[in-house]
PDB file of all heavy atoms in Angstrom:
ATOM      1  N   GLN A 210      31.828  36.590 137.159  1.00 98.00           N
ATOM      2  CA  GLN A 210      32.189  36.048 138.470  1.00 98.00           C
ATOM      3  C   GLN A 210      32.187  37.083 139.594  1.00 98.00           C
ATOM      4  O   GLN A 210      32.421  36.724 140.750  1.00 98.00           O
ATOM      5  CB  GLN A 210      33.575  35.389 138.385  1.00 98.00           C
ATOM      6  CG  GLN A 210      33.622  34.159 137.504  1.00 98.00           C
ATOM      7  CD  GLN A 210      33.646  34.483 136.020  1.00 98.00           C
ATOM      8  OE1 GLN A 210      33.965  35.612 135.613  1.00 98.00           O
ATOM      9  NE2 GLN A 210      33.315  33.508 135.200  1.00 98.00           N
ATOM     10  N   GLY A 211      31.939  38.342 139.285  1.00 98.00           N
ATOM     11  CA  GLY A 211      31.882  39.308 140.367  1.00 98.00           C
ATOM     12  C   GLY A 211      31.902  40.750 139.894  1.00 98.00           C
ATOM     13  O   GLY A 211      32.471  41.073 138.847  1.00 98.00           O
ATOM     14  N   PHE A 212      31.263  41.601 140.685  1.00 98.00           N
ATOM     15  CA  PHE A 212      31.270  43.046 140.448  1.00 98.00           C
ATOM     16  C   PHE A 212      32.047  43.687 141.590  1.00 98.00           C
ATOM     17  O   PHE A 212      31.663  43.567 142.750  1.00 98.00           O
ATOM     18  CB  PHE A 212      29.838  43.600 140.401  1.00 98.00           C
ATOM     19  CG  PHE A 212      29.733  44.894 139.661  1.00 98.00           C
ATOM     20  CD1 PHE A 212      29.282  44.923 138.366  1.00 98.00           C
ATOM     21  CD2 PHE A 212      30.140  46.084 140.253  1.00 98.00           C
ATOM     22  CE1 PHE A 212      29.215  46.119 137.659  1.00 98.00           C
ATOM     23  CE2 PHE A 212      30.077  47.274 139.570  1.00 98.00           C
ATOM     24  CZ  PHE A 212      29.618  47.298 138.262  1.00 98.00           C
ATOM     25  N   ARG A 213      33.148  44.388 141.290  1.00 98.00           N
ATOM     26  CA  ARG A 213      34.124  44.736 142.311  1.00 98.00           C
ATOM     27  C   ARG A 213      34.219  46.218 142.671  1.00 98.00           C
ATOM     28  O   ARG A 213      34.993  46.567 143.561  1.00 98.00           O
ATOM     29  CB  ARG A 213      35.511  44.254 141.874  1.00 98.00           C
ATOM     30  CG  ARG A 213      35.572  42.790 141.484  1.00 98.00           C
ATOM     31  CD  ARG A 213      35.114  41.867 142.584  1.00 98.00           C
ATOM     32  NE  ARG A 213      35.261  40.451 142.203  1.00 98.00           N
ATOM     33  CZ  ARG A 213      34.734  39.459 142.858  1.00 98.00           C
ATOM     34  NH1 ARG A 213      34.021  39.677 143.959  1.00 98.00           N
ATOM     35  NH2 ARG A 213      34.899  38.216 142.447  1.00 98.00           N
ATOM     36  N   ALA A 214      33.489  47.095 142.022  1.00 98.00           N
ATOM     37  CA  ALA A 214      33.587  48.528 142.309  1.00 98.00           C
ATOM     38  C   ALA A 214      32.281  49.020 142.912  1.00 98.00           C
ATOM     39  O   ALA A 214      31.210  48.830 142.335  1.00 98.00           O
ATOM     40  CB  ALA A 214      33.912  49.317 141.038  1.00 98.00           C
ATOM     41  N   GLU A 215      32.368  49.669 144.056  1.00 98.00           N
ATOM     42  CA  GLU A 215      31.166  50.179 144.723  1.00 98.00           C
ATOM     43  C   GLU A 215      30.482  51.251 143.880  1.00 98.00           C
ATOM     44  O   GLU A 215      31.126  52.196 143.406  1.00 98.00           O
ATOM     45  CB  GLU A 215      31.543  50.768 146.074  1.00 98.00           C
ATOM     46  CG  GLU A 215      30.357  51.366 146.824  1.00 98.00           C
ATOM     47  CD  GLU A 215      30.750  52.156 148.062  1.00 98.00           C
ATOM     48  OE1 GLU A 215      31.885  52.678 148.105  1.00 98.00           O
ATOM     49  OE2 GLU A 215      29.921  52.258 148.978  1.00 98.00           O
ATOM     50  N   SER A 216      29.195  51.100 143.698  1.00 98.00           N
ATOM     51  CA  SER A 216      28.352  52.132 143.104  1.00 98.00           C
ATOM     52  C   SER A 216      27.371  52.603 144.162  1.00 98.00           C
ATOM     53  O   SER A 216      26.590  51.801 144.687  1.00 98.00           O
ATOM     54  CB  SER A 216      27.586  51.599 141.882  1.00 98.00           C
ATOM     55  OG  SER A 216      26.589  52.519 141.478  1.00 98.00           O
ATOM     56  N   LYS A 217      27.407  53.869 144.466  1.00 98.00           N
ATOM     57  CA  LYS A 217      26.459  54.418 145.433  1.00 98.00           C
ATOM     58  C   LYS A 217      25.099  54.650 144.784  1.00 98.00           C
ATOM     59  O   LYS A 217      24.079  54.706 145.480  1.00 98.00           O
ATOM     60  CB  LYS A 217      27.024  55.700 146.031  1.00 98.00           C
ATOM     61  CG  LYS A 217      28.280  55.436 146.860  1.00 98.00           C
ATOM     62  CD  LYS A 217      28.831  56.703 147.491  1.00 98.00           C
ATOM     63  CE  LYS A 217      30.067  56.384 148.324  1.00 98.00           C
ATOM     64  NZ  LYS A 217      30.662  57.594 148.943  1.00 98.00           N
ATOM     65  N   THR A 218      25.094  54.765 143.465  1.00 98.00           N
ATOM     66  CA  THR A 218      23.834  54.927 142.733  1.00 98.00           C
ATOM     67  C   THR A 218      23.088  53.600 142.630  1.00 98.00           C
ATOM     68  O   THR A 218      21.855  53.563 142.741  1.00 98.00           O
ATOM     69  CB  THR A 218      24.113  55.473 141.321  1.00 98.00           C
ATOM     70  OG1 THR A 218      24.877  56.683 141.428  1.00 98.00           O
ATOM     71  CG2 THR A 218      22.815  55.770 140.580  1.00 98.00           C
ATOM     72  N   PHE A 219      23.831  52.515 142.438  1.00 98.00           N
ATOM     73  CA  PHE A 219      23.235  51.180 142.289  1.00 98.00           C
ATOM     74  C   PHE A 219      23.930  50.224 143.260  1.00 98.00           C
ATOM     75  O   PHE A 219      24.765  49.394 142.853  1.00 98.00           O
ATOM     76  CB  PHE A 219      23.367  50.695 140.849  1.00 98.00           C
ATOM     77  CG  PHE A 219      22.709  51.593 139.837  1.00 98.00           C
ATOM     78  CD1 PHE A 219      23.474  52.405 139.008  1.00 98.00           C
ATOM     79  CD2 PHE A 219      21.330  51.654 139.737  1.00 98.00           C
ATOM     80  CE1 PHE A 219      22.874  53.242 138.081  1.00 98.00           C
ATOM     81  CE2 PHE A 219      20.709  52.498 138.815  1.00 98.00           C
ATOM     82  CZ  PHE A 219      21.484  53.300 137.988  1.00 98.00           C
ATOM     83  N   PRO A 220      23.601  50.298 144.538  1.00 98.00           N
ATOM     84  CA  PRO A 220      24.332  49.539 145.557  1.00 98.00           C
ATOM     85  C   PRO A 220      24.194  48.033 145.440  1.00 98.00           C
ATOM     86  O   PRO A 220      25.045  47.296 145.956  1.00 98.00           O
ATOM     87  CB  PRO A 220      23.739  50.048 146.871  1.00 98.00           C
ATOM     88  CG  PRO A 220      22.395  50.612 146.505  1.00 98.00           C
ATOM     89  CD  PRO A 220      22.563  51.170 145.129  1.00 98.00           C
ATOM     90  N   LYS A 221      23.159  47.534 144.753  1.00 98.00           N
ATOM     91  CA  LYS A 221      23.005  46.078 144.632  1.00 98.00           C
ATOM     92  C   LYS A 221      24.028  45.458 143.675  1.00 98.00           C
ATOM     93  O   LYS A 221      24.165  44.238 143.638  1.00 98.00           O
ATOM     94  CB  LYS A 221      21.575  45.734 144.201  1.00 98.00           C
ATOM     95  CG  LYS A 221      20.550  45.931 145.316  1.00 98.00           C
ATOM     96  CD  LYS A 221      19.197  45.358 144.953  1.00 98.00           C
ATOM     97  CE  LYS A 221      18.494  46.188 143.899  1.00 98.00           C
ATOM     98  NZ  LYS A 221      17.100  45.694 143.657  1.00 98.00           N
ATOM     99  N   LEU A 222      24.757  46.281 142.921  1.00 98.00           N
ATOM    100  CA  LEU A 222      25.798  45.729 142.063  1.00 98.00           C
ATOM    101  C   LEU A 222      26.822  44.968 142.891  1.00 98.00           C
ATOM    102  O   LEU A 222      27.206  43.845 142.560  1.00 98.00           O
ATOM    103  CB  LEU A 222      26.472  46.835 141.245  1.00 98.00           C
ATOM    104  CG  LEU A 222      25.624  47.422 140.115  1.00 98.00           C
ATOM    105  CD1 LEU A 222      26.303  48.645 139.519  1.00 98.00           C
ATOM    106  CD2 LEU A 222      25.366  46.375 139.033  1.00 98.00           C
TER     107      LEU A 222
END
Side-chain angles (χ1 to χ4, degrees):
Q210 294 77 18
F212 202 100
R213 307 303 183 192
E215 178 189 26
S216 169
K217 295 182 179 179
T218 305
F219 301 106
K221 287 190 288 186
L222 288 171

